[in-house]
Amino acid sequence: MGEAIPHSDDVTWTDPACPVARTLDLVGDRWSLLIVRDAMDGARAFTDFQQRTGIARNILTDRLRRLVDRGILDREAAASGRRQVYTLTQTGRDLFTVVVALRQWGERHAFASGEAHSVLVDTSGDQLSELRPTNSRGAVVDLDGTSVRKAH
């Protein structure tokens, strides 16, 4: 079981019993996910995030604060002491599968056939296999083989 997100006064739960809704309430806006993506790609400083995303300074300041408050990023003074650096917490690192799933969906549906796009590869240079949900026995499942059990 993972670590719960720290209580944050700026979160209003859209659907308190739904994990998908809660996740979107925490990191569902495009800027937050792009910041997480860039942190996964090695961005650490405010200027790194700003240059990679093109985000306005005020929005970036707000999203970085929220991601720190929500336990997704850690903030600390750089060795020089002149700026802040951001790193993913374990909670933030746990978003890797989410980012990979979004990437793979985008590769299949957001590009025309043959259109160039970046590719995520492992340390050997091999492209990742398609993510496939499996049940507790390892069998691949899809929308037709699952259902949501309501909270009690």
Side-chain angles (χ1 to χ4, degrees):
M1 187 118 173
E3 196 173 309
I5 298 287
H7 174 69
S8 183
D9 293 333
D10 68 346
V11 178
T12 302
W13 301 125
T14 302
D15 181 348
C18 178
V20 173
R22 278 198 174 203
T23 301
L24 291 172
D25 289 339
L26 293 167
V27 294
D29 71 277
R30 82 184 221 185
W31 293 122
S32 293
L33 282 174
L34 291 175
I35 291 166
V36 168
R37 175 207 62 187
D38 288 346
M40 289 177 180
D41 289 342
R44 297 287 175 263
F46 186 94
T47 53
D48 295 337
F49 294 110
Q50 190 175 35
Q51 290 172 356
R52 292 176 185 214
T53 61
I55 188 173
R57 293 179 62 84
N58 63 322
I59 296 172
L60 179 56
T61 298
D62 176 69
R63 294 314 187 280
L64 287 170
R65 178 193 56 78
R66 287 183 188 193
L67 290 168
V68 169
D69 289 350
R70 295 169 182 181
I72 295 164
L73 291 176
D74 274 333
R75 176 181 52 225
E76 59 187 48
S80 68
R82 295 194 346 248
R83 63 180 181 154
Q84 300 290 307
V85 292
Y86 299 87
T87 55
L88 290 163
T89 63
Q90 186 56 53
T91 300
R93 294 175 64 84
D94 282 351
L95 287 166
F96 179 72
T97 304
V98 174
V99 172
V100 171
L102 286 169
R103 168 180 276 285
Q104 290 183 349
W105 184 93
E107 289 171 348
R108 288 190 303 275
H109 302 290
F111 290 87
S113 180
E115 186 178 0
H117 59 78
S118 63
V119 176
L120 182 64
V121 296
D122 65 16
T123 57
S124 300
D126 295 325
Q127 192 168 353
L128 274 61
S129 298
E130 182 180 349
L131 292 178
R132 307 294 295 166
T134 58
N135 65 19
S136 62
R137 295 175 302 284
V140 174
V141 295
D142 62 13
L143 180 62
D144 298 326
T146 60
S147 61
V148 174
R149 186 179 302 150
K150 299 293 181 187
H152 295 100

